């Protein structure tokens, strides 16, 4: 039966849910508090430069293909993809860098050149990673996290030991060279937890990296949001921006609508793709499933300090995606997860989309995004932001052998306070709830409220977890659950 469904937020998971629910015949309205759609995947335009404010990595192209195929469409009908070669570059020190090819055979050759025997070991490791990918991404992540039985299959039973070992242990058993270890531990950082806390089964992220490659949507990741937004409109979804949701209206244990900009907007079903913790604060306390103590004990993915910088010249010695692992990875991880504080010497990441995409910077100029992973809920001041920009730009100049400080046209920053203010993000987290063993699948916050009927959740704090592809999947999962229960 056709229902009126209101969705809070317009990030990847919300837009995906909207598409599936509209396809099922429902009247769907999306309410976005900001001026433009996209949630954390918004865009900054300034002086002829264009930056993705949020996600910049396009991995797991098959998940996007599967999403569009559900509507008899292809990604190519909505945006253009370019495969990056190299996928990315990792600096360990000045004149000491590792380029990750767009071809697995070339990566295997590179590993063998760095450490004798590592090529064959990588080949074997990647066979397991691909097998895990086929099980996880083609099957398990499309289950709604309602019960432990979803994880119990013949294939997972064969791999039960992989849920009780860690990526870090597995990688370090096989590879001794520090550069190779860090290259293999890097992809699970997208899951929001330390490699030493991430189950071995998640090696499927290595297949996403080395096996499927790194891609760039022309005009940036925001073109993917625009594409899914266009699909939603084609399916009949109504999208309203500048709409601040102030309260979830309920009556006799049922969600009956939203209070938006002071106006009561009634609906049969409510779906929230906004921050899960924030969404529950829109309800009376006795209708919230999870207490403040519950959230406080959870392991959250990091926050970030981001800089969006326009340079008046092209950069040298860098790739589209460039990682700076020239400091102590384990110490920085401790400063995020174990003893939360501003890091002493942080690792950082830099993206230069204008290397690949002429549309994102004026000719002869460079658009750059710098990101430092941080603990959540840190003090965030303009002085601290400036101090850390100085730290990383000095290291950037030294490691890449170039002077760039005087070529900065402008820089904008985004940090903990902005995540809280603009996205109502719990403790200012950037990526949601980390995928540790005790925060996987049915152990994550539920898609369906147990306290309020016809209230549902989607996004990176519920199943399957952090990242853009999981967010798309989360939208499908919540739509399927609504079909099941409503």
């Amino acid at each position: 039966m056709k229902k009126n469904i209101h969705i809070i937020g317009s990030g990847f998971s919300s837009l995906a849910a909207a598409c599936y629910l509209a396809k099922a015949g429902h009247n769907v309205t999306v309410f976005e508090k900001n001026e433009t759609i996209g949630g954390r995947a918004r865009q900054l335009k300034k002086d002829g430069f264009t930056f993705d404010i949020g996600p910049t990595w396009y991995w797991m192209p098959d998940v996007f293909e599967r999403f569009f195929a559900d509507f008899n469409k292809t990604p190519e009908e909505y945006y253009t993809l370019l495969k990056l070669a190299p996928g990315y570059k990792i600096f360990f020190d000045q004149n000491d860098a590792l380029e990750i090819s767009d071809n697995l055979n070339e990566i295997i050759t590179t590993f063998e050149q760095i450490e004798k025997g590592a090529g064959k070991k990588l080949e074997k490791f990647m066979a397991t990673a691909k097998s895990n990918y086929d099980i996880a991404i083609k099957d398990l992540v499309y289950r709604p996290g309602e019960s432990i039985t979803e994880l119990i299959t013949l294939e997972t039973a064969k791999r039960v030991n992989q849920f009780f070992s860690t990526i870090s242990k597995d990688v370090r058993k096989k590879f001794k060279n520090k550069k190779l270890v860090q290259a293999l531990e890097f992809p699970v950082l997208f899951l929001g937890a330390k490699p030493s806390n991430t189950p071995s089964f998640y090696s499927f992220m290595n297949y996403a990296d080395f096996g499927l490659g790194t891609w760039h949507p022309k005009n940036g990741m925001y073109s993917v949001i625009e594409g899914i937004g266009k699909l939603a409109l084609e399916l009949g979804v109504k999208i309203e921006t500048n709409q601040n949701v102030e309260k979830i209206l309920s009556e006799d244990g049922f969600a009956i609508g939203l209070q938006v900009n002071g106006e009561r907007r009634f609906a049969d079903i409510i779906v929230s793709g906004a921050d899960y913790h924030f969404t529950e604060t829109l309800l009376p306390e006795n209708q919230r499933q999870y207490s403040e103590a519950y959230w406080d004990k959870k392991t959250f993915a990091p926050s970030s300090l981001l800089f969006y910088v326009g340079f008046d010249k092209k950069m040298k010695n860098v790739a589209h995606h460039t990682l700076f692992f020239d400091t102590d990875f384990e110490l920085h991880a401790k400063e995020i997860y174990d003893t939360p504080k501003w890091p002493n010497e942080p690792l950082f990441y830099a993206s230069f989309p204008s290397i690949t995409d002429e549309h994102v910077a004026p000719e002869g100029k460079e658009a750059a995004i710098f990101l430092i992973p941080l603990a959540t809920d840190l003090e965030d001041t303009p002085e601290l932001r400036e101090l850390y920009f100085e730290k990383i730009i000095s290291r950037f100049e030294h490691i890449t052998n170039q002077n760039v400080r005087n070529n900065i046209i402008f820089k904008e920053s985004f940090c903990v306070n902005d995540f809280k203010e603009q996205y109502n993000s719990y403790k200012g987290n950037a990526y949601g709830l980390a995928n540790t063993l005790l925060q996987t699948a049915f152990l994550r916050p539920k898609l369906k409220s147990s306290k309020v009927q016809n209230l549902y959740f989607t996004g990176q704090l519920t199943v399957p977890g952090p990242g853009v592809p999981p967010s798309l999947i989360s939208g499908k999962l919540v739509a399927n659950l609504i079909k099941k229960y409503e």
Side-chain angles (χ1 to χ4, degrees), residues 36-84:
T36 56
I37 64 169
R40 298 177 194 222
R42 291 182 302 138
Q43 200 174 53
L44 168 67
K45 291 193 172 189
K46 183 169 181 174
D47 298 348
F49 292 83
T50 301
F51 305 89
D52 283 312
I53 291 177
T56 55
W57 292 73
Y58 191 104
W59 272 7
M60 303 184 187
D62 52 320
V63 173
F64 295 87
E65 288 163 10
R66 185 167 171 176
F67 168 76
F68 282 101
D70 284 340
F71 304 93
N72 297 314
K73 304 286 186 180
T74 64
E76 292 74 22
E77 292 175 65
Y78 294 91
Y79 53 89
T80 302
L81 278 180
L82 309 164
K83 192 173 190 186
L84 299 183

Short mmCIF file of all heavy atoms in Angstrom, two decimals, residues 36-84:
data_model
loop_
_atom_site.label_atom_id
_atom_site.label_comp_id
_atom_site.label_asym_id
_atom_site.label_seq_id
_atom_site.Cartn_x
_atom_site.Cartn_y
_atom_site.Cartn_z
N THR A 36 22.30 22.63 0.00
CA THR A 36 22.43 21.69 -1.12
C THR A 36 22.34 20.26 -0.60
O THR A 36 22.60 19.99 0.57
CB THR A 36 23.78 21.87 -1.84
OG1 THR A 36 24.84 21.71 -0.88
CG2 THR A 36 23.87 23.24 -2.49
N ILE A 37 21.99 19.34 -1.49
CA ILE A 37 21.91 17.93 -1.10
C ILE A 37 23.32 17.34 -0.94
O ILE A 37 24.30 17.95 -1.36
CB ILE A 37 21.10 17.11 -2.12
CG1 ILE A 37 21.80 17.08 -3.49
CG2 ILE A 37 19.69 17.62 -2.22
CD1 ILE A 37 21.20 16.08 -4.47
N GLY A 38 23.38 16.17 -0.34
CA GLY A 38 24.66 15.46 -0.26
C GLY A 38 25.11 15.12 1.14
O GLY A 38 26.01 14.31 1.32
N GLY A 39 24.50 15.79 2.16
CA GLY A 39 24.99 15.53 3.51
C GLY A 39 26.47 15.83 3.61
O GLY A 39 26.92 16.91 3.23
N ARG A 40 27.26 14.85 4.09
CA ARG A 40 28.70 15.07 4.24
C ARG A 40 29.41 15.12 2.90
O ARG A 40 30.58 15.50 2.83
CB ARG A 40 29.29 13.95 5.10
CG ARG A 40 28.71 13.94 6.50
CD ARG A 40 29.24 12.78 7.33
NE ARG A 40 28.41 12.65 8.53
CZ ARG A 40 28.88 12.42 9.74
NH1 ARG A 40 30.16 12.28 9.94
NH2 ARG A 40 28.06 12.33 10.76
N ALA A 41 28.74 14.72 1.84
CA ALA A 41 29.35 14.71 0.51
C ALA A 41 28.96 15.95 -0.28
O ALA A 41 28.56 15.88 -1.44
CB ALA A 41 28.93 13.45 -0.24
N ARG A 42 29.10 17.10 0.37
CA ARG A 42 28.77 18.36 -0.32
C ARG A 42 29.99 18.87 -1.10
O ARG A 42 31.02 18.24 -1.15
CB ARG A 42 28.28 19.39 0.69
CG ARG A 42 26.92 19.03 1.27
CD ARG A 42 26.43 20.09 2.24
NE ARG A 42 27.37 20.31 3.32
CZ ARG A 42 27.71 21.50 3.82
NH1 ARG A 42 27.19 22.59 3.30
NH2 ARG A 42 28.56 21.61 4.82
N GLN A 43 29.84 20.07 -1.63
CA GLN A 43 30.86 20.63 -2.50
C GLN A 43 31.18 22.06 -2.09
O GLN A 43 30.30 22.79 -1.62
CB GLN A 43 30.32 20.61 -3.94
CG GLN A 43 31.33 20.69 -5.04
CD GLN A 43 30.68 20.53 -6.40
OE1 GLN A 43 29.71 21.23 -6.73
NE2 GLN A 43 31.16 19.61 -7.20
N LEU A 44 32.44 22.45 -2.25
CA LEU A 44 32.85 23.84 -2.02
C LEU A 44 33.35 24.40 -3.35
O LEU A 44 34.20 23.79 -4.00
CB LEU A 44 33.98 23.89 -0.98
CG LEU A 44 34.72 25.22 -0.83
CD1 LEU A 44 33.81 26.31 -0.26
CD2 LEU A 44 35.96 25.06 0.05
N LYS A 45 32.80 25.55 -3.73
CA LYS A 45 33.28 26.23 -4.94
C LYS A 45 33.80 27.60 -4.55
O LYS A 45 33.14 28.34 -3.83
CB LYS A 45 32.14 26.37 -5.96
CG LYS A 45 31.71 25.04 -6.57
CD LYS A 45 30.82 25.27 -7.78
CE LYS A 45 30.56 23.94 -8.49
NZ LYS A 45 29.88 24.11 -9.77
N LYS A 46 35.00 27.92 -5.04
CA LYS A 46 35.58 29.22 -4.70
C LYS A 46 36.61 29.63 -5.75
O LYS A 46 37.51 28.84 -6.07
CB LYS A 46 36.24 29.16 -3.31
CG LYS A 46 36.80 30.50 -2.84
CD LYS A 46 37.20 30.48 -1.38
CE LYS A 46 37.73 31.84 -0.96
NZ LYS A 46 38.01 31.94 0.46
N ASP A 47 36.48 30.83 -6.28
CA ASP A 47 37.47 31.42 -7.21
C ASP A 47 37.82 30.48 -8.36
O ASP A 47 38.99 30.38 -8.77
CB ASP A 47 38.75 31.79 -6.45
CG ASP A 47 38.52 32.84 -5.37
OD1 ASP A 47 37.43 33.44 -5.36
OD2 ASP A 47 39.41 33.04 -4.53
N GLY A 48 36.84 29.78 -8.88
CA GLY A 48 37.10 28.89 -10.02
C GLY A 48 37.56 27.50 -9.62
O GLY A 48 37.79 26.64 -10.49
N PHE A 49 37.72 27.25 -8.31
CA PHE A 49 38.12 25.93 -7.81
C PHE A 49 36.89 25.19 -7.29
O PHE A 49 35.95 25.80 -6.78
CB PHE A 49 39.11 26.07 -6.64
CG PHE A 49 40.46 26.62 -7.03
CD1 PHE A 49 40.67 27.99 -7.16
CD2 PHE A 49 41.53 25.76 -7.24
CE1 PHE A 49 41.92 28.50 -7.49
CE2 PHE A 49 42.78 26.26 -7.58
CZ PHE A 49 42.98 27.62 -7.71
N THR A 50 36.92 23.86 -7.41
CA THR A 50 35.84 23.02 -6.88
C THR A 50 36.43 21.91 -6.03
O THR A 50 37.38 21.23 -6.45
CB THR A 50 35.03 22.38 -8.03
OG1 THR A 50 34.50 23.42 -8.85
CG2 THR A 50 33.89 21.54 -7.49
N PHE A 51 35.90 21.75 -4.81
CA PHE A 51 36.40 20.73 -3.88
C PHE A 51 35.25 19.86 -3.40
O PHE A 51 34.15 20.36 -3.13
CB PHE A 51 37.01 21.39 -2.64
CG PHE A 51 38.10 22.38 -2.92
CD1 PHE A 51 37.81 23.71 -3.14
CD2 PHE A 51 39.44 21.98 -2.97
CE1 PHE A 51 38.81 24.64 -3.39
CE2 PHE A 51 40.45 22.90 -3.22
CZ PHE A 51 40.14 24.23 -3.44
N ASP A 52 35.51 18.57 -3.27
CA ASP A 52 34.60 17.71 -2.51
C ASP A 52 34.87 17.97 -1.03
O ASP A 52 36.00 17.80 -0.56
CB ASP A 52 34.86 16.23 -2.82
CG ASP A 52 34.28 15.82 -4.16
OD1 ASP A 52 33.10 16.14 -4.41
OD2 ASP A 52 34.99 15.15 -4.94
N ILE A 53 33.83 18.38 -0.29
CA ILE A 53 34.00 18.65 1.14
C ILE A 53 34.20 17.35 1.91
O ILE A 53 34.95 17.28 2.86
CB ILE A 53 32.78 19.42 1.69
CG1 ILE A 53 32.76 20.84 1.10
CG2 ILE A 53 32.80 19.48 3.21
CD1 ILE A 53 31.56 21.66 1.53
N GLY A 54 33.51 16.29 1.45
CA GLY A 54 33.55 15.01 2.16
C GLY A 54 34.34 13.95 1.41
O GLY A 54 35.52 14.15 1.11
N PRO A 55 33.71 12.81 1.08
CA PRO A 55 34.44 11.69 0.47
C PRO A 55 35.14 12.10 -0.83
O PRO A 55 34.59 12.86 -1.63
CB PRO A 55 33.35 10.67 0.17
CG PRO A 55 32.21 11.03 1.05
CD PRO A 55 32.29 12.50 1.27
N THR A 56 36.35 11.56 -1.03
CA THR A 56 37.10 11.83 -2.26
C THR A 56 37.53 10.54 -2.96
O THR A 56 38.03 10.59 -4.08
CB THR A 56 38.36 12.67 -1.95
OG1 THR A 56 39.15 12.00 -0.96
CG2 THR A 56 38.00 14.07 -1.47
N TRP A 57 37.37 9.38 -2.29
CA TRP A 57 37.80 8.10 -2.87
C TRP A 57 36.59 7.37 -3.44
O TRP A 57 35.59 7.18 -2.75
CB TRP A 57 38.45 7.21 -1.81
CG TRP A 57 39.76 7.71 -1.30
CD1 TRP A 57 39.96 8.76 -0.46
CD2 TRP A 57 41.06 7.16 -1.59
NE1 TRP A 57 41.31 8.90 -0.21
CE2 TRP A 57 42.00 7.93 -0.88
CE3 TRP A 57 41.51 6.07 -2.36
CZ2 TRP A 57 43.37 7.67 -0.92
CZ3 TRP A 57 42.87 5.81 -2.41
CH2 TRP A 57 43.78 6.61 -1.70
N TYR A 58 36.70 6.90 -4.67
CA TYR A 58 35.65 6.09 -5.29
C TYR A 58 36.20 4.68 -5.42
O TYR A 58 37.00 4.37 -6.30
CB TYR A 58 35.30 6.67 -6.66
CG TYR A 58 34.05 6.09 -7.33
CD1 TYR A 58 32.87 6.81 -7.35
CD2 TYR A 58 34.08 4.85 -7.98
CE1 TYR A 58 31.73 6.32 -7.99
CE2 TYR A 58 32.95 4.35 -8.61
CZ TYR A 58 31.78 5.09 -8.62
OH TYR A 58 30.66 4.61 -9.26
N TRP A 59 35.78 3.82 -4.50
CA TRP A 59 36.15 2.41 -4.49
C TRP A 59 34.90 1.56 -4.68
O TRP A 59 33.79 2.04 -4.57
CB TRP A 59 36.82 2.04 -3.17
CG TRP A 59 38.31 2.27 -3.15
CD1 TRP A 59 39.07 2.85 -4.11
CD2 TRP A 59 39.21 1.91 -2.09
NE1 TRP A 59 40.39 2.88 -3.73
CE2 TRP A 59 40.51 2.31 -2.51
CE3 TRP A 59 39.06 1.28 -0.85
CZ2 TRP A 59 41.65 2.10 -1.72
CZ3 TRP A 59 40.19 1.09 -0.06
CH2 TRP A 59 41.47 1.49 -0.49
N MET A 60 35.11 0.27 -4.94
CA MET A 60 34.01 -0.70 -5.11
C MET A 60 33.02 -0.25 -6.19
O MET A 60 31.82 -0.10 -5.94
CB MET A 60 33.28 -0.92 -3.78
CG MET A 60 34.15 -1.38 -2.64
SD MET A 60 33.14 -1.71 -1.16
CE MET A 60 34.42 -2.03 0.06
N PRO A 61 33.50 -0.06 -7.41
CA PRO A 61 32.59 0.39 -8.47
C PRO A 61 31.42 -0.56 -8.70
O PRO A 61 30.35 -0.13 -9.14
CB PRO A 61 33.50 0.47 -9.70
CG PRO A 61 34.70 -0.36 -9.38
CD PRO A 61 34.87 -0.26 -7.90
N ASP A 62 31.62 -1.84 -8.37
CA ASP A 62 30.55 -2.82 -8.56
C ASP A 62 29.34 -2.53 -7.69
O ASP A 62 28.20 -2.83 -8.07
CB ASP A 62 31.07 -4.24 -8.29
CG ASP A 62 31.76 -4.38 -6.95
OD1 ASP A 62 32.50 -3.46 -6.55
OD2 ASP A 62 31.57 -5.41 -6.27
N VAL A 63 29.55 -1.92 -6.50
CA VAL A 63 28.42 -1.58 -5.62
C VAL A 63 27.57 -0.49 -6.26
O VAL A 63 26.33 -0.53 -6.22
CB VAL A 63 28.92 -1.15 -4.22
CG1 VAL A 63 27.76 -0.64 -3.36
CG2 VAL A 63 29.62 -2.32 -3.53
N PHE A 64 28.24 0.50 -6.88
CA PHE A 64 27.51 1.57 -7.57
C PHE A 64 26.76 1.00 -8.78
O PHE A 64 25.61 1.39 -9.04
CB PHE A 64 28.48 2.66 -8.01
CG PHE A 64 29.15 3.39 -6.87
CD1 PHE A 64 30.31 2.89 -6.29
CD2 PHE A 64 28.61 4.57 -6.38
CE1 PHE A 64 30.94 3.56 -5.24
CE2 PHE A 64 29.22 5.24 -5.33
CZ PHE A 64 30.38 4.73 -4.76
N GLU A 65 27.42 0.08 -9.49
CA GLU A 65 26.77 -0.54 -10.65
C GLU A 65 25.53 -1.31 -10.21
O GLU A 65 24.48 -1.24 -10.87
CB GLU A 65 27.76 -1.48 -11.36
CG GLU A 65 28.85 -0.74 -12.11
CD GLU A 65 30.03 -1.64 -12.46
OE1 GLU A 65 29.92 -2.88 -12.29
OE2 GLU A 65 31.07 -1.09 -12.90
N ARG A 66 25.65 -2.03 -9.12
CA ARG A 66 24.52 -2.81 -8.61
C ARG A 66 23.37 -1.90 -8.18
O ARG A 66 22.20 -2.20 -8.42
CB ARG A 66 24.99 -3.68 -7.43
CG ARG A 66 23.94 -4.62 -6.89
CD ARG A 66 24.58 -5.65 -5.97
NE ARG A 66 23.58 -6.44 -5.26
CZ ARG A 66 23.86 -7.46 -4.45
NH1 ARG A 66 25.12 -7.82 -4.28
NH2 ARG A 66 22.92 -8.12 -3.84
N PHE A 67 23.73 -0.76 -7.57
CA PHE A 67 22.69 0.20 -7.16
C PHE A 67 21.91 0.68 -8.38
O PHE A 67 20.67 0.60 -8.42
CB PHE A 67 23.33 1.39 -6.43
CG PHE A 67 22.38 2.54 -6.23
CD1 PHE A 67 21.40 2.49 -5.26
CD2 PHE A 67 22.43 3.65 -7.06
CE1 PHE A 67 20.48 3.54 -5.10
CE2 PHE A 67 21.54 4.71 -6.91
CZ PHE A 67 20.56 4.65 -5.92
N PHE A 68 22.61 1.18 -9.39
CA PHE A 68 21.91 1.73 -10.57
C PHE A 68 21.17 0.63 -11.33
O PHE A 68 20.09 0.87 -11.88
CB PHE A 68 22.88 2.48 -11.47
CG PHE A 68 23.22 3.86 -10.96
CD1 PHE A 68 24.41 4.11 -10.31
CD2 PHE A 68 22.33 4.91 -11.11
CE1 PHE A 68 24.72 5.38 -9.83
CE2 PHE A 68 22.61 6.18 -10.64
CZ PHE A 68 23.82 6.42 -9.99
N ALA A 69 21.74 -0.58 -11.35
CA ALA A 69 21.08 -1.70 -12.05
C ALA A 69 19.72 -2.01 -11.44
O ALA A 69 18.81 -2.48 -12.15
CB ALA A 69 21.98 -2.93 -12.02
N ASP A 70 19.57 -1.74 -10.14
CA ASP A 70 18.28 -1.97 -9.49
C ASP A 70 17.18 -1.09 -10.09
O ASP A 70 15.99 -1.34 -9.87
CB ASP A 70 18.38 -1.71 -7.98
CG ASP A 70 19.08 -2.84 -7.24
OD1 ASP A 70 19.15 -3.96 -7.80
OD2 ASP A 70 19.57 -2.61 -6.12
N PHE A 71 17.58 -0.07 -10.85
CA PHE A 71 16.61 0.84 -11.48
C PHE A 71 16.74 0.77 -13.01
O PHE A 71 16.29 1.67 -13.71
CB PHE A 71 16.84 2.27 -10.97
CG PHE A 71 16.78 2.37 -9.48
CD1 PHE A 71 17.94 2.28 -8.71
CD2 PHE A 71 15.57 2.51 -8.82
CE1 PHE A 71 17.90 2.33 -7.32
CE2 PHE A 71 15.51 2.56 -7.44
CZ PHE A 71 16.68 2.46 -6.68
N ASN A 72 17.38 -0.33 -13.47
CA ASN A 72 17.63 -0.51 -14.91
C ASN A 72 18.42 0.65 -15.51
O ASN A 72 18.17 1.09 -16.63
CB ASN A 72 16.31 -0.71 -15.68
CG ASN A 72 15.59 -1.95 -15.23
OD1 ASN A 72 16.19 -3.02 -15.11
ND2 ASN A 72 14.29 -1.82 -14.96
N LYS A 73 19.38 1.13 -14.73
CA LYS A 73 20.25 2.22 -15.15
C LYS A 73 21.70 1.80 -15.00
O LYS A 73 22.01 0.76 -14.42
CB LYS A 73 19.99 3.48 -14.31
CG LYS A 73 18.55 3.98 -14.30
CD LYS A 73 18.19 4.65 -15.61
CE LYS A 73 16.79 5.28 -15.55
NZ LYS A 73 16.44 5.93 -16.82
N THR A 74 22.60 2.65 -15.48
CA THR A 74 24.04 2.44 -15.27
C THR A 74 24.64 3.74 -14.72
O THR A 74 24.10 4.83 -14.98
CB THR A 74 24.77 2.09 -16.58
OG1 THR A 74 24.69 3.22 -17.47
CG2 THR A 74 24.18 0.85 -17.23
N PRO A 75 25.76 3.66 -13.99
CA PRO A 75 26.40 4.89 -13.51
C PRO A 75 26.72 5.84 -14.66
O PRO A 75 26.61 7.07 -14.51
CB PRO A 75 27.68 4.39 -12.83
CG PRO A 75 27.38 2.99 -12.41
CD PRO A 75 26.46 2.45 -13.47
N GLU A 76 27.10 5.27 -15.82
CA GLU A 76 27.52 6.09 -16.96
C GLU A 76 26.40 7.01 -17.47
O GLU A 76 26.67 8.01 -18.13
CB GLU A 76 28.00 5.20 -18.11
CG GLU A 76 29.30 4.46 -17.86
CD GLU A 76 29.16 3.29 -16.88
OE1 GLU A 76 28.03 2.77 -16.71
OE2 GLU A 76 30.18 2.91 -16.28
N GLU A 77 25.16 6.66 -17.15
CA GLU A 77 24.05 7.53 -17.56
C GLU A 77 23.98 8.80 -16.70
O GLU A 77 23.28 9.75 -17.04
CB GLU A 77 22.72 6.77 -17.45
CG GLU A 77 22.58 5.65 -18.47
CD GLU A 77 21.31 4.84 -18.26
OE1 GLU A 77 20.21 5.41 -18.43
OE2 GLU A 77 21.42 3.64 -17.92
N TYR A 78 24.73 8.79 -15.58
CA TYR A 78 24.64 9.91 -14.63
C TYR A 78 25.96 10.62 -14.37
O TYR A 78 25.97 11.78 -13.98
CB TYR A 78 24.04 9.41 -13.31
CG TYR A 78 22.61 8.97 -13.48
CD1 TYR A 78 22.29 7.65 -13.80
CD2 TYR A 78 21.56 9.89 -13.38
CE1 TYR A 78 20.98 7.25 -13.99
CE2 TYR A 78 20.25 9.49 -13.56
CZ TYR A 78 19.96 8.18 -13.88
OH TYR A 78 18.66 7.80 -14.08
N TYR A 79 27.08 9.93 -14.55
CA TYR A 79 28.39 10.56 -14.36
C TYR A 79 29.45 9.75 -15.08
O TYR A 79 29.23 8.60 -15.46
CB TYR A 79 28.74 10.74 -12.88
CG TYR A 79 28.65 9.48 -12.05
CD1 TYR A 79 29.75 8.61 -11.91
CD2 TYR A 79 27.47 9.15 -11.37
CE1 TYR A 79 29.65 7.47 -11.13
CE2 TYR A 79 27.38 8.00 -10.60
CZ TYR A 79 28.47 7.16 -10.49
OH TYR A 79 28.38 6.03 -9.73
N THR A 80 30.63 10.37 -15.28
CA THR A 80 31.72 9.74 -16.00
C THR A 80 32.83 9.34 -15.05
O THR A 80 33.27 10.16 -14.22
CB THR A 80 32.29 10.71 -17.06
OG1 THR A 80 31.23 11.09 -17.94
CG2 THR A 80 33.41 10.07 -17.85
N LEU A 81 33.30 8.10 -15.16
CA LEU A 81 34.36 7.61 -14.28
C LEU A 81 35.69 7.53 -15.00
O LEU A 81 35.76 7.14 -16.16
CB LEU A 81 34.02 6.20 -13.77
CG LEU A 81 33.07 6.07 -12.58
CD1 LEU A 81 32.87 4.59 -12.26
CD2 LEU A 81 33.58 6.81 -11.36
N LEU A 82 36.75 7.88 -14.28
CA LEU A 82 38.12 7.75 -14.79
C LEU A 82 38.90 6.88 -13.81
O LEU A 82 38.84 7.09 -12.60
CB LEU A 82 38.79 9.13 -14.85
CG LEU A 82 38.00 10.24 -15.58
CD1 LEU A 82 38.57 11.60 -15.25
CD2 LEU A 82 38.04 10.00 -17.08
N LYS A 83 39.62 5.86 -14.32
CA LYS A 83 40.44 5.03 -13.43
C LYS A 83 41.78 5.70 -13.23
O LYS A 83 42.42 6.14 -14.19
CB LYS A 83 40.63 3.63 -14.01
CG LYS A 83 41.21 2.66 -12.98
CD LYS A 83 41.26 1.22 -13.48
CE LYS A 83 41.62 0.29 -12.34
NZ LYS A 83 41.84 -1.10 -12.79
N LEU A 84 42.20 5.80 -11.97
CA LEU A 84 43.44 6.49 -11.64
C LEU A 84 44.64 5.56 -11.82
O LEU A 84 44.62 4.41 -11.39
CB LEU A 84 43.42 7.01 -10.20
CG LEU A 84 42.32 8.03 -9.88
CD1 LEU A 84 42.46 8.52 -8.45
CD2 LEU A 84 42.36 9.21 -10.84
#
